[in-house]
Amino acid sequence: LKEAQFEADYVVSTGGIDNTEVIRQAIPQDHKEMFEYEKKFDVLFIGSLYTGDRLRLDEYLLNQYEGKYYQFGDKLQIRGKDLNHVLGQTKIAVGDSYPKPGYWSNRVYEICGRGGFIIHPEVEGLKDEFPDIVTYKHNDFDDLQSKIDYYLEHEDEREEIRNKCFTSCPTFKERVKDFIKLTKNYG
């Protein structure tokens, strides 16, 4: 029995899958909002710690930024507008993504589109959509730490990048337009 995707005339993915049309992820229009608060969190990771890579990342950040690092996603999940408020209190959110060329997590959109500053693993194509995003070599914790330390010290530069990434973050409304345009080409 063949999977449906092999029977379809065309398949749309968010990236990282050969022979598909790509429409990247986005954020809901009514969630694209930036909040400004006193910064309570220096370094934050949002997501479950279900892989060895994430457990190592969490342990490293916990050791390097003791008392200044927080992780939400296992015991305490933050979603919706609550996430906007948490990101408004956060200096730096560290990203992670399944390591596949051409694919990156919706965490980029969820953080940038809610007004957060993210440092994300390098992924082919990511800078095409977010030219200003700060990246680090996947699993290179020295590279990550040097970037975290730099942007903790350079607040003005961090805020400029945060604003640029927020502005360039697409909404689902924009993605629907991309989908309609794509399907018209197959009409």
Side-chain angles (χ1 to χ4, degrees):
L1 192 66
K2 287 188 174 183
E3 293 183 42
Q5 69 194 33
F6 298 112
E7 298 293 325
D9 291 333
Y10 60 95
V11 176
V12 178
S13 75
T14 58
I17 302 174
D18 294 335
N19 302 316
T20 66
E21 298 290 344
V22 175
I23 295 180
R24 299 281 178 199
Q25 300 182 58
I27 188 164
Q29 180 69 33
D30 61 335
H31 287 213
K32 189 172 180 182
E33 190 172 2
M34 186 183 289
F35 293 100
E36 299 291 341
Y37 299 110
E38 179 182 339
K39 302 300 185 202
K40 292 182 180 179
F41 310 110
D42 280 2
V43 182
L44 180 69
F45 179 78
I46 302 165
S48 298
L49 303 175
Y50 63 87
T51 68
D53 285 350
R54 285 192 182 176
L55 288 168
R56 285 186 291 281
L57 173 65
D58 180 65
E59 182 179 343
Y60 184 83
L61 294 172
L62 193 58
N63 289 331
Q64 295 301 315
Y65 301 98
E66 188 175 340
K68 297 179 180 184
Y69 166 69
Y70 302 87
Q71 183 265 337
F72 295 124
D74 284 319
K75 294 178 184 168
L76 177 62
Q77 295 191 9
I78 308 290
R79 298 189 185 279
K81 289 285 184 130
D82 291 338
L83 182 54
N84 295 58
H85 293 288
V86 167
L87 290 168
Q89 300 171 66
T90 302
K91 293 178 183 177
I92 296 172
V94 175
D96 184 45
S97 185
Y98 183 78
K100 183 151 179 79
Y103 172 81
W104 51 91
S105 166
N106 73 331
R107 187 173 282 104
V108 172
Y109 304 92
E110 288 289 323
I111 292 172
C112 292
R114 295 174 188 279
F117 176 89
I118 187 171
I119 300 178
H120 192 274
E122 293 175 2
V123 181
E124 180 184 322
L126 177 59
K127 291 243 183 198
D128 293 338
E129 185 160 14
F130 290 92
D132 299 293
I133 197 168
V134 176
T135 60
Y136 69 98
K137 294 176 188 78
H138 190 257
N139 287 332
D140 184 338
F141 298 147
D142 291 335
D143 184 34
L144 174 60
Q145 182 180 353
S146 71
K147 291 181 178 164
I148 290 171
D149 292 347
Y150 179 86
Y151 287 104
L152 284 174
E153 292 295 318
H154 295 87
E155 182 179 350
D156 290 344
E157 198 172 335
R158 184 181 74 230
E159 289 301 302
E160 181 180 335
I161 293 168
R162 180 175 81 109
N163 283 304
K164 286 180 179 179
C165 288
F166 175 79
T167 300
S168 65
C169 186
T171 64
F172 285 124
K173 185 176 181 180
E174 294 164 304
R175 293 303 195 212
V176 168
K177 289 177 185 177
D178 293 341
F179 182 75
I180 291 169
K181 183 178 175 184
L182 175 70
T183 57
K184 283 183 179 180
N185 292 334
Y186 284 92

